[in-house]
Amino acid sequence: MAPAPEQMSSMVRGWTSGAASAAPMLNSRHAAIQRRNQAIDLRVFMLDKYREAKYRFLDMSHVA
């Protein structure tokens, strides 16, 4: 007959009680960084487009 299974806690295995709660924080931090980077990329893109349009307008205004 097989021995009765023993219940082991995570503390016996060397895990701390906060180890499992770290993963969602990392995921949310990663998501926040991704959103910030996308916003920065959009700002840089729009600034480049604005400068292009401004210089194009200035080049056309002095030709007349």
Side-chain angles (χ1 to χ4, degrees):
M1 181 168 210
E6 295 180 22
Q7 183 173 354
M8 295 181 67
S9 71
S10 61
M11 298 300 268
V12 172
R13 293 183 185 146
W15 300 343
T16 63
S17 60
S21 63
M25 181 58 77
L26 291 175
N27 289 340
S28 64
R29 186 177 304 134
H30 175 73
I33 289 170
Q34 291 294 83
R35 283 193 303 271
R36 187 197 70 205
N37 288 344
Q38 286 175 349
I40 290 171
D41 289 345
L42 181 61
R43 287 184 195 131
V44 169
F45 173 77
M46 294 302 289
L47 182 61
D48 287 343
K49 290 296 177 187
Y50 170 76
R51 286 179 178 158
E52 263 181 42
K54 185 174 81 171
Y55 293 135
R56 240 185 276 137
F57 175 76
L58 291 175
D59 287 344
M60 290 172 48
S61 64
H62 75 278
V63 173

Coordinates of all heavy atoms in Angstrom, one line a residue:
M1 N 0.8 -1.2 0.0 CA 0.0 0.0 0.0 C 0.9 1.3 0.0 O 1.9 1.3 0.7 CB -0.9 0.0 1.2 CG -1.8 1.1 1.3 SD -3.0 0.7 2.6 CE -4.4 1.6 1.9
A2 N 0.5 2.2 -0.8 CA 1.3 3.5 -0.9 C 1.1 4.3 0.3 O 0.1 4.3 1.0 CB 0.8 4.3 -2.1
P3 N 2.2 5.0 0.7 CA 2.1 5.9 1.9 C 1.1 7.1 1.6 O 0.9 7.5 0.5 CB 3.5 6.4 2.1 CG 4.2 6.3 0.8 CD 3.5 5.1 0.1
A4 N 0.5 7.6 2.6 CA -0.4 8.7 2.5 C 0.4 9.9 2.0 O 1.5 10.2 2.5 CB -1.1 9.0 3.8
P5 N -0.2 10.7 1.1 CA 0.5 11.9 0.6 C 0.6 12.9 1.7 O -0.3 13.1 2.5 CB -0.4 12.4 -0.5 CG -1.7 11.7 -0.3 CD -1.5 10.5 0.4
E6 N 1.7 13.6 1.7 CA 1.9 14.7 2.7 C 1.7 16.0 2.0 O 2.0 16.2 0.9 CB 3.3 14.6 3.2 CG 3.7 13.4 4.0 CD 5.1 13.4 4.5 OE1 5.7 14.5 4.6 OE2 5.7 12.4 4.8
Q7 N 1.1 16.9 2.8 CA 0.9 18.2 2.3 C 2.1 19.1 2.6 O 2.5 19.2 3.8 CB -0.4 18.8 2.9 CG -0.7 20.2 2.3 CD -2.0 20.7 2.8 OE1 -2.8 20.0 3.4 NE2 -2.3 21.9 2.4
M8 N 2.7 19.7 1.6 CA 3.9 20.5 1.8 C 3.5 22.0 1.5 O 2.8 22.3 0.6 CB 5.0 20.1 0.9 CG 5.6 18.8 1.1 SD 6.9 18.4 0.1 CE 8.1 19.6 0.6
S9 N 3.9 22.8 2.4 CA 3.6 24.2 2.1 C 4.7 24.8 1.2 O 5.8 24.3 1.1 CB 3.5 25.0 3.5 OG 4.8 25.1 4.0
S10 N 4.4 26.0 0.7 CA 5.4 26.7 -0.2 C 6.6 27.1 0.6 O 7.7 27.3 0.1 CB 4.8 27.8 -0.9 OG 4.3 28.8 0.1
M11 N 6.4 27.3 1.9 CA 7.5 27.8 2.8 C 8.6 26.7 2.9 O 9.7 26.9 3.0 CB 7.0 28.2 4.2 CG 6.1 29.4 4.1 SD 6.8 30.8 3.4 CE 7.4 31.6 4.8
V12 N 8.1 25.4 2.9 CA 9.0 24.3 3.0 C 9.9 24.2 1.8 O 11.1 23.9 1.8 CB 8.2 23.0 3.3 CG1 9.1 21.7 3.2 CG2 7.5 23.0 4.6
R13 N 9.3 24.5 0.6 CA 10.0 24.4 -0.6 C 11.0 25.6 -0.8 O 11.7 25.7 -1.8 CB 9.1 24.4 -1.8 CG 8.3 23.1 -1.8 CD 7.4 23.0 -3.0 NE 6.5 21.8 -2.9 CZ 5.3 21.8 -3.3 NH1 4.7 22.8 -3.9 NH2 4.6 20.7 -3.2
G14 N 10.9 26.6 0.1 CA 11.8 27.7 0.0 C 11.2 29.0 -0.7 O 11.8 29.9 -1.0
W15 N 9.9 28.9 -1.0 CA 9.2 30.1 -1.6 C 8.8 31.0 -0.5 O 8.4 30.6 0.6 CB 8.0 29.6 -2.4 CG 8.4 28.7 -3.6 CD1 9.6 28.5 -4.1 CD2 7.4 27.9 -4.3 NE1 9.5 27.5 -5.1 CE2 8.2 27.2 -5.2 CE3 6.1 27.6 -4.2 CZ2 7.6 26.3 -6.1 CZ3 5.5 26.7 -5.1 CH2 6.3 26.1 -6.0
T16 N 8.7 32.2 -0.8 CA 8.2 33.2 0.1 C 6.8 33.5 -0.2 O 6.3 33.2 -1.3 CB 9.0 34.5 0.1 OG1 8.8 35.1 -1.2 CG2 10.5 34.3 0.4
S17 N 6.1 34.1 0.7 CA 4.6 34.3 0.5 C 4.4 35.4 -0.6 O 3.4 35.5 -1.1 CB 4.0 34.7 1.8 OG 4.6 35.9 2.3
G18 N 5.4 36.2 -0.8 CA 5.2 37.3 -1.8 C 5.7 36.9 -3.2 O 5.5 37.7 -4.1
A19 N 6.2 35.7 -3.4 CA 6.7 35.3 -4.7 C 5.6 35.3 -5.8 O 5.8 35.7 -6.9 CB 7.4 34.0 -4.6
A20 N 4.5 34.8 -5.4 CA 3.4 34.7 -6.4 C 2.8 36.0 -6.8 O 2.3 36.2 -7.9 CB 2.3 33.7 -5.9
S21 N 2.8 37.0 -5.9 CA 2.2 38.3 -6.2 C 3.1 39.2 -7.0 O 2.7 40.3 -7.4 CB 1.8 39.0 -4.9 OG 2.9 39.2 -4.1
A22 N 4.4 38.8 -7.3 CA 5.3 39.6 -8.0 C 5.0 39.6 -9.5 O 5.2 40.5 -10.2 CB 6.7 39.1 -7.8
A23 N 4.5 38.5 -10.0 CA 4.2 38.4 -11.5 C 3.2 39.4 -12.0 O 3.5 40.0 -13.0 CB 3.8 36.9 -11.8
P24 N 2.0 39.6 -11.4 CA 1.1 40.6 -11.9 C 1.7 42.0 -11.9 O 1.4 42.7 -12.8 CB -0.1 40.4 -11.0 CG 0.0 39.1 -10.4 CD 1.4 38.8 -10.3
M25 N 2.5 42.3 -10.9 CA 3.1 43.6 -10.9 C 4.1 43.8 -12.1 O 4.1 44.9 -12.7 CB 3.8 43.9 -9.6 CG 4.4 45.2 -9.5 SD 3.3 46.6 -9.7 CE 2.5 46.6 -8.1
L26 N 4.8 42.8 -12.4 CA 5.7 42.8 -13.5 C 5.0 43.0 -14.8 O 5.4 43.8 -15.7 CB 6.6 41.6 -13.6 CG 7.7 41.5 -12.4 CD1 8.4 40.1 -12.6 CD2 8.6 42.6 -12.5
N27 N 3.9 42.3 -14.9 CA 3.0 42.4 -16.1 C 2.5 43.8 -16.3 O 2.5 44.3 -17.4 CB 1.9 41.4 -16.1 CG 2.4 40.0 -16.3 OD1 3.5 39.8 -16.8 ND2 1.7 39.0 -15.9
S28 N 2.0 44.4 -15.2 CA 1.4 45.7 -15.3 C 2.5 46.7 -15.5 O 2.2 47.7 -16.3 CB 0.6 46.0 -14.0 OG 1.4 46.1 -12.9
R29 N 3.6 46.5 -15.0 CA 4.7 47.5 -15.2 C 5.2 47.4 -16.7 O 5.4 48.4 -17.3 CB 5.9 47.1 -14.3 CG 7.0 48.2 -14.4 CD 8.2 47.9 -13.4 NE 7.7 47.8 -12.1 CZ 8.0 46.8 -11.2 NH1 8.9 45.9 -11.6 NH2 7.6 46.8 -10.0
H30 N 5.2 46.2 -17.2 CA 5.6 46.0 -18.6 C 4.5 46.7 -19.5 O 4.9 47.4 -20.5 CB 5.7 44.5 -18.9 CG 5.9 44.3 -20.4 ND1 7.1 44.5 -21.0 CD2 5.1 43.8 -21.4 CE1 7.1 44.2 -22.3 NE2 5.8 43.7 -22.5
A31 N 3.3 46.5 -19.2 CA 2.2 47.1 -20.0 C 2.3 48.7 -19.9 O 2.1 49.4 -20.9 CB 0.9 46.7 -19.5
A32 N 2.6 49.2 -18.7 CA 2.7 50.7 -18.6 C 3.9 51.2 -19.4 O 3.8 52.3 -20.0 CB 2.8 51.0 -17.1
I33 N 5.0 50.5 -19.4 CA 6.1 50.9 -20.1 C 5.8 50.9 -21.6 O 6.2 51.8 -22.4 CB 7.4 50.1 -19.8 CG1 7.8 50.4 -18.3 CG2 8.5 50.3 -20.8 CD1 8.9 49.5 -17.8
Q34 N 5.1 49.8 -22.1 CA 4.8 49.7 -23.5 C 3.9 50.9 -23.9 O 4.1 51.5 -25.0 CB 4.1 48.4 -23.8 CG 5.0 47.2 -23.6 CD 6.0 47.2 -24.7 OE1 7.1 47.8 -24.6 NE2 5.8 46.5 -25.8
R35 N 2.9 51.2 -23.1 CA 2.0 52.3 -23.4 C 2.8 53.7 -23.4 O 2.5 54.5 -24.3 CB 0.9 52.4 -22.3 CG -0.2 51.4 -22.5 CD -1.4 51.7 -21.7 NE -1.1 51.9 -20.3 CZ -1.1 50.9 -19.4 NH1 -1.4 49.7 -19.8 NH2 -0.9 51.1 -18.1
R36 N 3.7 53.8 -22.5 CA 4.5 55.1 -22.5 C 5.4 55.2 -23.7 O 5.5 56.2 -24.4 CB 5.4 55.1 -21.2 CG 6.1 56.5 -21.1 CD 7.2 56.4 -20.1 NE 8.3 55.6 -20.7 CZ 9.2 54.9 -20.1 NH1 9.2 54.9 -18.8 NH2 10.1 54.2 -20.7
N37 N 6.0 54.1 -24.1 CA 6.8 54.1 -25.3 C 6.0 54.3 -26.6 O 6.5 55.0 -27.5 CB 7.6 52.7 -25.4 CG 8.7 52.6 -24.4 OD1 9.1 53.6 -23.8 ND2 9.1 51.4 -24.2
Q38 N 4.8 53.8 -26.6 CA 4.0 54.0 -27.8 C 3.6 55.5 -27.9 O 3.6 56.1 -28.9 CB 2.7 53.2 -27.8 CG 3.0 51.7 -28.1 CD 1.8 50.8 -27.9 OE1 0.7 51.3 -27.4 NE2 1.9 49.6 -28.4
A39 N 3.3 56.1 -26.7 CA 2.9 57.5 -26.7 C 4.1 58.4 -27.1 O 4.0 59.4 -27.8 CB 2.4 57.9 -25.3
I40 N 5.3 58.0 -26.6 CA 6.5 58.8 -27.0 C 6.8 58.6 -28.5 O 7.1 59.6 -29.2 CB 7.7 58.3 -26.2 CG1 7.6 58.7 -24.7 CG2 9.0 58.8 -26.8 CD1 8.6 58.2 -23.8
D41 N 6.6 57.4 -29.0 CA 6.8 57.2 -30.5 C 5.8 58.0 -31.3 O 6.2 58.6 -32.3 CB 6.6 55.7 -30.8 CG 7.8 54.8 -30.3 OD1 8.8 55.4 -29.9 OD2 7.6 53.6 -30.3
L42 N 4.6 58.1 -30.8 CA 3.6 58.9 -31.5 C 4.0 60.4 -31.5 O 3.8 61.1 -32.5 CB 2.2 58.7 -30.9 CG 1.1 59.4 -31.6 CD1 0.9 59.0 -33.1 CD2 -0.2 59.2 -30.8
R43 N 4.4 60.9 -30.3 CA 4.8 62.3 -30.2 C 6.0 62.6 -31.1 O 6.0 63.6 -31.8 CB 5.2 62.6 -28.8 CG 4.0 62.7 -27.9 CD 4.4 63.1 -26.5 NE 3.3 62.8 -25.6 CZ 3.5 62.2 -24.4 NH1 4.7 61.8 -24.0 NH2 2.4 62.0 -23.6
V44 N 6.9 61.7 -31.2 CA 8.1 61.9 -32.1 C 7.7 61.9 -33.5 O 8.1 62.8 -34.3 CB 9.2 60.9 -31.8 CG1 10.3 60.9 -32.8 CG2 9.8 61.1 -30.4
F45 N 6.8 61.0 -33.9 CA 6.3 60.9 -35.2 C 5.6 62.2 -35.6 O 5.8 62.7 -36.7 CB 5.4 59.7 -35.4 CG 4.7 59.6 -36.7 CD1 5.4 59.1 -37.8 CD2 3.4 59.9 -36.8 CE1 4.7 59.0 -39.0 CE2 2.7 59.8 -38.0 CZ 3.4 59.4 -39.2
M46 N 4.7 62.6 -34.7 CA 3.9 63.8 -35.0 C 4.7 65.1 -35.1 O 4.5 66.0 -35.9 CB 2.8 64.0 -34.0 CG 1.7 62.9 -34.0 SD 0.9 62.8 -35.6 CE -0.1 64.2 -35.7
L47 N 5.8 65.1 -34.2 CA 6.7 66.3 -34.2 C 7.4 66.3 -35.6 O 7.6 67.4 -36.2 CB 7.6 66.2 -33.1 CG 8.6 67.4 -32.9 CD1 7.9 68.7 -32.7 CD2 9.6 67.1 -31.8
D48 N 7.9 65.2 -36.0 CA 8.6 65.1 -37.3 C 7.6 65.6 -38.5 O 8.0 66.3 -39.3 CB 9.1 63.7 -37.6 CG 10.3 63.3 -36.8 OD1 10.9 64.3 -36.2 OD2 10.6 62.1 -36.7
K49 N 6.4 65.1 -38.4 CA 5.4 65.5 -39.5 C 5.1 67.0 -39.4 O 5.0 67.7 -40.4 CB 4.1 64.7 -39.3 CG 4.3 63.3 -39.7 CD 4.6 63.1 -41.1 CE 4.8 61.7 -41.5 NZ 5.3 61.6 -42.9
Y50 N 5.0 67.5 -38.2 CA 4.8 69.0 -38.0 C 6.0 69.8 -38.6 O 5.8 70.7 -39.3 CB 4.6 69.3 -36.5 CG 4.6 70.8 -36.2 CD1 3.5 71.5 -36.5 CD2 5.7 71.4 -35.7 CE1 3.5 72.9 -36.3 CE2 5.7 72.7 -35.4 CZ 4.6 73.5 -35.7 OH 4.6 74.8 -35.4
R51 N 7.2 69.3 -38.3 CA 8.4 70.1 -38.8 C 8.4 70.0 -40.3 O 8.8 71.0 -40.9 CB 9.6 69.5 -38.2 CG 9.8 69.9 -36.7 CD 11.1 69.3 -36.1 NE 11.2 69.7 -34.7 CZ 12.0 69.0 -33.9 NH1 12.6 67.9 -34.2 NH2 12.1 69.5 -32.6
E52 N 8.1 68.8 -40.8 CA 8.1 68.7 -42.3 C 7.1 69.7 -42.9 O 7.4 70.4 -43.9 CB 7.7 67.3 -42.7 CG 8.8 66.3 -43.0 CD 8.2 64.9 -43.4 OE1 7.2 64.9 -44.1 OE2 8.8 63.9 -42.9
A53 N 5.9 69.7 -42.4 CA 4.9 70.6 -42.9 C 5.3 72.0 -42.8 O 5.0 72.8 -43.7 CB 3.5 70.3 -42.2
K54 N 5.8 72.4 -41.6 CA 6.2 73.8 -41.4 C 7.3 74.2 -42.3 O 7.2 75.3 -42.9 CB 6.7 73.9 -39.9 CG 7.0 75.3 -39.5 CD 7.4 75.5 -38.1 CE 8.8 75.1 -37.9 NZ 9.3 75.4 -36.5
Y55 N 8.3 73.4 -42.5 CA 9.4 73.7 -43.5 C 8.9 73.8 -44.9 O 9.3 74.7 -45.7 CB 10.6 72.8 -43.3 CG 11.3 73.0 -42.0 CD1 11.6 71.8 -41.2 CD2 11.5 74.2 -41.4 CE1 12.2 72.0 -40.0 CE2 12.1 74.4 -40.2 CZ 12.5 73.2 -39.5 OH 13.1 73.4 -38.3
R56 N 8.0 72.9 -45.2 CA 7.4 72.9 -46.6 C 6.6 74.2 -46.8 O 6.7 74.8 -47.8 CB 6.5 71.7 -46.8 CG 7.0 70.8 -48.0 CD 6.0 69.7 -48.3 NE 6.3 68.6 -47.4 CZ 5.4 67.9 -46.7 NH1 4.1 68.1 -46.9 NH2 5.8 66.9 -46.0
F57 N 5.9 74.6 -45.8 CA 5.1 75.9 -45.9 C 6.0 77.1 -46.0 O 5.8 78.0 -46.8 CB 4.2 76.0 -44.7 CG 3.5 77.3 -44.7 CD1 2.4 77.5 -45.5 CD2 3.9 78.3 -43.8 CE1 1.7 78.7 -45.5 CE2 3.2 79.5 -43.8 CZ 2.1 79.7 -44.6
L58 N 7.1 77.1 -45.2 CA 8.0 78.2 -45.2 C 8.8 78.2 -46.5 O 9.0 79.3 -47.1 CB 9.0 78.1 -44.1 CG 8.4 78.3 -42.7 CD1 9.5 78.1 -41.6 CD2 7.9 79.7 -42.5
D59 N 9.1 77.1 -47.1 CA 9.8 77.1 -48.4 C 8.9 77.6 -49.5 O 9.3 78.3 -50.4 CB 10.2 75.7 -48.8 CG 11.4 75.2 -47.9 OD1 12.1 76.1 -47.3 OD2 11.7 74.0 -47.9
M60 N 7.6 77.3 -49.4 CA 6.6 77.8 -50.4 C 6.3 79.3 -50.3 O 6.0 79.9 -51.3 CB 5.3 77.0 -50.3 CG 5.5 75.5 -50.8 SD 4.1 74.5 -50.5 CE 2.8 75.4 -51.1
S61 N 6.3 79.8 -49.1 CA 5.9 81.2 -48.9 C 6.9 82.2 -49.4 O 6.5 83.3 -49.8 CB 5.6 81.4 -47.4 OG 6.8 81.3 -46.7
H62 N 8.2 81.8 -49.4 CA 9.1 82.8 -49.9 C 9.4 82.7 -51.4 O 10.1 83.5 -52.0 CB 10.5 82.7 -49.2 CG 11.3 81.5 -49.6 ND1 11.1 80.3 -49.1 CD2 12.4 81.4 -50.4 CE1 12.0 79.4 -49.6 NE2 12.7 80.1 -50.5
V63 N 8.8 81.7 -52.1 CA 9.0 81.5 -53.5 C 8.1 82.5 -54.3 O 8.5 83.0 -55.4 CB 8.6 80.1 -53.9 CG1 8.6 79.9 -55.4 CG2 9.6 79.1 -53.3
A64 N 7.0 82.9 -53.8 CA 6.0 83.8 -54.5 C 6.7 85.1 -54.8 O 7.0 85.6 -55.7 CB 4.8 84.0 -53.6

